[in-house]
């Protein structure tokens, strides 16, 4: 009897030990004990960054003295020799890093990324690798150091933009204008050594950094790019690195446009509050509606937004931009819970609006209501138990066979976005993404196109690129173009009543959508600005030829996609 108990006890204690060690193993594995392979991002760091959702991009340097674009104006608007001497006059005496950080925080931004070196090669920190840096300007203060310290003090994450290409460095194979000119003598390996030495300075002296934001790899291939990524991560294991070293990196970076819905790969849209990355006097600024809706559409697609300001040559962020940012901040003070720490979906973003989710909540951001009747939300494979407007109260909800109908009276709607909170009987993120409106096929998709003008007569920017359903390609016009048209032949007569035009850079100020009857162009719709994914409806017209007639643009207009929808 006694022996039996002793044996049983030994067996039991062994068993317990095995169980305990299994649990310990499991827990340490699932806590994501730091990934060993440095080519891979730390998942905990990635999640932390995604939860932040909203950051500030800052493009700054001596170029702000000219009001032209950083990097690109070297050898274009400004002769190279003049550009390279600008730093000798750069003295931004009103620069106050604490003030920049306060503005970012007031805007609801959770991280700041500064251009430490753009394509023009000028360095905003006390680098030992080149004399071409801020310490040799009349200002003589280390901007990166001051901003990193202010971020740390005020509790906001800090990261660095560092241009992969460098049109100033003698070893880089290309130079200005626009990196289109080859250097006879160059040494890419030696340049890569320079890049790494500088990245080491940034990480060691100003880290830890939230991200390293590389840009325009040009001559860097995937192998060289991966070398840069691995080097960066060997210095700081939990850093997040974008996709512009030549290798794939940790996240995608749609530029000047909102990325498509994607829960499988992290992404961050970078976009300017005005037209330029660098400061330009009286630059055209986005409306509060555009700014806030951009953030909502981005979060709704499961991405981050890196929203750019270009401080002035005296060091201040322009007051009207600060005002605009404050409007975003005020909105986020009310509705931040529907943005931070959420995931995009399950309703995919579109003309109607966007949605995010967290635990048992879905947040609908309704931007365009149906012309008549309630909002009809597609049925979900999970029960919706409640719909509410915060703080006004419950929303009338009616279930039909096809949809959940939501009734919000006109006076309770918000022109920027009406936020409706749905409660579901489960984890909202488990609901597979659904299209809100049925996906509409453009009648103009793949059709013959022509235009008044094509950038450099280049096939890359041909008129057909606006009708190829590829959001990564665009029709572009020559620099300096102030009016242009883009025509499509539908092949046969069709009745069209709605259109979507996705413009880059917000350059169009007045346009008409026209259609041809009896060799006469008539107007179907007239508008002022276009911008990202503009959708509009008009009295349906029947024609074979349609034309976007751009009557006024501040610079050469460029169109990612133009879609025409048939009336059914
Ligand atoms: O730093 C910003 C841009 O300078 C840089 N990436 C962001 C974050 C960038 N590098 N390449 N590109 C953007 C794509 C090229 C855009 C161009 Fe242009 C369109 C070059 C010339 C016409 C932008 C707009 C620069 C001048 C006008």
């Amino acid at each position: 009897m006694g022996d039996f108990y002793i044996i049983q006890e030994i067996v039991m204690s062994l068993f317990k030990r095995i169980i305990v060690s299994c649990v310990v193993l499991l827990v340490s594995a699932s806590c994501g004990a730091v990934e060993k392979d440095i080519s891979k991002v730390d998942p905990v760091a990635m999640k932390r960054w995604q939860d932040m959702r909203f950051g500030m991009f800052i493009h700054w340097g001596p170029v702000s003295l000219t009001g032209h674009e950083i990097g690109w104006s070297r050898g274009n608007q400004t002769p190279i020799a003049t550009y390279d001497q600008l730093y000798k006059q750069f003295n931004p005496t009103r620069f106050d890093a604490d003030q920049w950080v306060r503005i970012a925080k007031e805007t609801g931004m959770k991280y700041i990324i500064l251009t430490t070196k753009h394509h023009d090669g000028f360095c905003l920190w006390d680098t030992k690798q080149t004399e071409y840096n801020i310490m040799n300007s009349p200002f003589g203060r280390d901007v990166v150091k001051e901003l990193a310290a202010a971020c740390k003090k005020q509790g906001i994450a800090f990261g660095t933009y560092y241009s992969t290409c460098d049109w100033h460095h003698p070893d880089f194979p290309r130079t200005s204008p626009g990196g289109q000119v080859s250097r006879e003598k160059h040494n890419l390996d030696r340049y890569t050594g320079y890049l790494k030495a500088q990245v080491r300075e940034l990480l060691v002296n100003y880290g830890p950094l939230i991200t390293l934001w590389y840009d325009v790899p040009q001559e860097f291939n995937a192998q060289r790019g991966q070398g840069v990524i691995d080097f960066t991560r060997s210095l700081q294991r939990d850093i997040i690195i974008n996709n512009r070293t030549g290798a794939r990196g940790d996240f995608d970076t749609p530029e000047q446009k909102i990325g498509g819905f994607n829960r499988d790969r992290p992404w961050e849209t970078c976009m300017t509050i005005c037209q330029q990355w660098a400061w330009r006097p009286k630059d055209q600024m986005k409306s509060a509606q555009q700014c806030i809706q951009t953030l909502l559409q981005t979060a709704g697609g499961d991405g981050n937004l890196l929203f750019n300001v270009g401080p002035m040559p005296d060091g201040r962020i322009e007051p009207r931009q600060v005002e605009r940012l404050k409007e975003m901040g005020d909105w986020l003070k009310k509705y931040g819970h529907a943005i931070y720490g959420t995931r995009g979906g399950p309703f995919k973003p579109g003309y109607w609006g966007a949605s995010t989710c967290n635990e048992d909540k879905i947040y609908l951001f309704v931007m365009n209501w149906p012309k008549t009747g309630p909002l009809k939300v597609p049925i979900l494979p999970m029960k919706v138990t409640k719909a509410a407007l915060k703080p006004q109260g419950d929303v009338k909800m009616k279930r039909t066979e096809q949809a959940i109908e939501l009734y919000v009276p006109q006076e309770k709607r918000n022109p920027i976005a009406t936020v409706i909170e749905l409660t579901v009987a489960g984890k909202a993120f488990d609901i597979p993404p659904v299209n809100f409106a049925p996906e509409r096929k453009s009648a103009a998709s793949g059709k013959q196109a022509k235009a008044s003008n094509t950038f450099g007569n280049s096939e890359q920017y041909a008129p057909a690129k606006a009708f190829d359903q590829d959001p990564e390609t665009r029709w572009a016009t020559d620099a300096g173009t102030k009016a242009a048209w883009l025509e499509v032949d539908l092949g046969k007569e069709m009745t069209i009543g709605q259109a979507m035009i996705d413009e880059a850079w917000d350059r169009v100020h007045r346009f008409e959508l026209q259609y041809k009857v009896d060799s006469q162009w008539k107007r179907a719709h007239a508008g002022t600005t276009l911008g990202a994914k503009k959708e509009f409806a008009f009295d349906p017209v029947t024609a074979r030829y349609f034309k976007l007639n751009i009557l006024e643009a501040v610079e050469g207009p460029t169109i990612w996609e133009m879609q025409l929808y048939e009336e059914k």
Side-chain angles (χ1 to χ4, degrees):
M1 254 323 224
D3 283 359
F4 176 74
Y5 274 114
I6 288 168
I7 291 167
Q8 198 184 28
E9 232 161 75
I10 293 171
V11 170
M12 281 301 284
S13 86
L14 259 175
F15 195 57
K16 268 188 206 154
R17 263 191 228 176
I18 291 169
I19 296 259
V20 166
S21 50
C22 278
V23 167
V24 166
L25 259 174
L26 268 175
V27 168
S28 59
S30 68
C31 284
V34 188
E35 168 77 59
K36 287 271 155 48
D37 179 0
I38 62 162
S39 71
K40 298 217 177 76
V41 70
D42 174 24
V44 176
M46 180 49 89
K47 164 95 171 64
R48 198 186 311 135
W49 175 75
Q50 286 186 297
D51 283 348
M52 294 180 180
R53 277 294 179 242
F54 189 26
M56 177 182 267
F57 213 174
I58 304 180
H59 275 67
W60 199 44
V63 71
S64 58
L65 288 164
T66 69
H68 294 302
E69 190 58 295
I70 190 165
W72 296 91
S73 62
R74 183 177 187 264
N76 279 314
Q77 289 89 345
T78 310
I80 292 176
T82 315
Y83 192 108
D84 294 350
Q85 298 298 313
L86 288 171
Y87 74 103
K88 295 192 175 158
Q89 301 159 46
F90 190 48
N91 195 10
T93 50
R94 298 181 75 175
F95 167 70
D96 176 357
D98 276 313
Q99 185 64 13
W100 286 8
V101 175
R102 266 196 296 277
I103 292 165
K105 289 189 78 174
E106 276 293 296
T107 309
M109 291 156 158
K110 304 292 185 191
Y111 56 102
I112 296 180
I113 311 297
L114 171 72
T115 51
T116 59
K117 184 201 82 169
H118 202 263
H119 317 329
D120 62 20
F122 185 75
C123 302
L124 280 179
W125 78 100
D126 185 6
T127 176
K128 302 303 172 211
Q129 313 306 320
T130 176
E131 292 295 311
Y132 193 45
N133 76 62
I134 191 78
M135 303 316 284
N136 296 318
S137 72
F139 192 51
R141 274 160 57 186
D142 185 335
V143 169
V144 179
K145 182 178 171 184
E146 291 186 25
L147 188 58
C151 286
K152 194 163 287 171
K153 191 169 88 191
Q154 294 189 52
I156 187 169
F158 176 64
T160 54
Y161 167 107
Y162 182 91
S163 174
T164 316
C165 72
D166 189 328
W167 303 329
H168 179 269
H169 198 285
D171 282 334
F172 194 76
R174 299 186 192 201
T175 185
S176 302
Q180 288 160 21
V181 177
S182 298
R183 281 188 195 277
E184 259 178 45
K185 284 209 320 215
H186 55 83
N187 187 332
L188 195 56
D189 286 339
R190 201 160 60 199
Y191 172 72
T192 308
Y194 171 79
L195 176 152
K196 286 181 176 170
Q198 290 209 310
V199 167
R200 181 192 292 280
E201 288 181 352
L202 291 173
L203 278 159
V204 171
N205 299 337
Y206 314 112
L209 304 176
I210 179 99
T211 54
L212 237 155
W213 217 102
Y214 291 102
D215 200 11
V216 187
Q218 285 194 330
E219 304 282 326
F220 280 52
N221 59 19
Q223 195 191 349
R224 191 176 295 271
Q226 193 60 48
V228 168
I229 291 177
D230 294 349
F231 172 79
T232 311
R233 228 190 306 271
S234 73
L235 296 170
Q236 186 194 314
R237 187 60 195 81
D238 66 354
I239 199 161
I240 299 168
I241 303 164
N242 75 346
N243 63 340
R244 298 190 183 196
T245 56
R248 188 162 178 267
D250 307 329
F251 66 94
D252 288 338
T253 51
E255 176 164 332
Q256 295 291 37
K257 64 172 190 264
I258 297 161
F261 182 91
N262 191 349
R263 282 180 172 180
D264 300 325
R265 165 133 167 114
W267 61 271
E268 176 190 62
T269 275
C270 54
M271 199 184 274
T272 52
I273 190 170
C274 290
Q275 303 238 59
Q276 276 196 172
W277 295 98
W279 183 73
R280 175 166 76 188
K282 300 199 183 76
D283 201 1
Q284 182 194 322
M285 187 166 63
K286 291 183 171 69
S287 66
Q289 171 163 325
Q290 273 178 303
C291 292
I292 296 167
Q293 289 189 346
T294 295
L295 175 63
L296 306 184
Q297 290 282 355
T298 306
D302 207 29
N304 284 24
L305 177 65
L306 186 59
F307 205 48
N308 181 77
V309 295
M312 300 190 289
D314 69 2
R316 289 175 307 149
I317 300 173
E318 202 182 314
R320 68 180 177 131
Q321 295 184 19
V322 176
E323 275 297 300
R324 183 65 86 244
L325 293 175
K326 192 173 172 303
E327 291 173 280
M328 297 183 87
D330 289 345
W331 199 91
L332 280 163
K333 280 196 188 103
K334 273 196 212 132
Y335 299 112
H337 62 282
I339 299 289
Y340 308 118
T342 67
R343 298 296 302 266
F347 304 106
K348 291 189 191 172
Y351 180 52
W352 69 276
S355 72
T356 59
C357 62
N358 195 2
E359 302 186 349
D360 66 341
K361 297 284 186 277
I362 298 173
Y363 303 99
L364 298 177
F365 306 110
V366 187
M367 299 172 202
N368 290 292
W369 290 82
K371 276 191 203 133
T372 55
L375 182 74
K376 291 179 183 163
V377 177
I379 303 272
L380 295 173
M382 196 179 279
K383 194 170 184 242
V384 177
T385 56
K386 190 176 149 76
L389 283 180
K390 293 281 170 76
Q392 298 101 314
D394 284 7
V395 167
K396 188 179 144 201
M397 181 167 57
K398 215 165 98 186
R399 281 188 200 87
T400 68
E401 289 278 304
Q402 303 82 28
I404 303 165
E405 299 183 346
L406 297 173
Y407 294 81
V408 175
Q410 202 76 43
E411 70 274 10
K412 285 193 179 173
R413 296 180 188 174
N414 184 313
I416 291 176
T418 305
V419 185
I420 303 175
E421 182 187 290
L422 304 180
T423 305
V424 292
K427 205 166 162 252
F429 186 69
D430 293 340
I431 302 169
V434 273
N435 285 320
F436 198 97
E439 227 150 76
R440 289 173 301 177
K441 192 179 176 316
S442 168
S445 166
K447 298 291 166 66
Q448 295 277 333
K450 58 183 179 179
S452 55
N453 170 311
T454 295
F455 179 77
N457 279 322
S458 146
E459 190 45 40
Q460 195 187 342
Y461 298 108
K465 300 293 180 190
F467 303 100
D468 63 358
Q469 303 277 76
D470 179 351
E472 304 292 322
T473 62
R474 59 195 166 97
W475 164 63
T477 54
D478 284 321
T481 304
K482 300 290 164 79
W485 53 260
L486 174 66
E487 186 183 318
V488 63
D489 173 2
L490 301 183
K492 60 172 200 271
E493 284 199 344
M494 291 185 174
T495 303
I496 306 293
Q498 267 193 67
M500 189 285 293
I501 298 174
D502 191 10
E503 189 216 354
W505 318 113
D506 300 351
R507 289 170 173 176
V508 174
H509 276 207
R510 201 157 63 84
F511 74 94
E512 283 186 0
L513 183 71
Q514 301 177 321
Y515 61 105
K516 196 149 95 177
V517 256
D518 304 331
S519 69
Q520 288 259 339
W521 285 105
K522 302 208 159 168
R523 182 166 77 195
H525 177 87
T528 53
T529 53
L530 280 172
K533 296 195 179 155
K534 173 89 157 202
E535 297 210 25
F536 51 89
F538 43 89
D539 290 336
V541 295
T542 305
R544 174 173 166 178
Y545 299 95
F546 284 81
K547 184 197 260 186
L548 168 64
N549 197 11
I550 297 167
L551 301 160
E552 279 175 43
V554 287
E555 241 306 327
T558 185
I559 304 289
W560 294 108
E561 280 303 306
M562 168 164 161
Q563 306 195 335
L564 301 173
Y565 305 116
E566 246 184 310
E567 287 293 298
K568 286 280 157 59

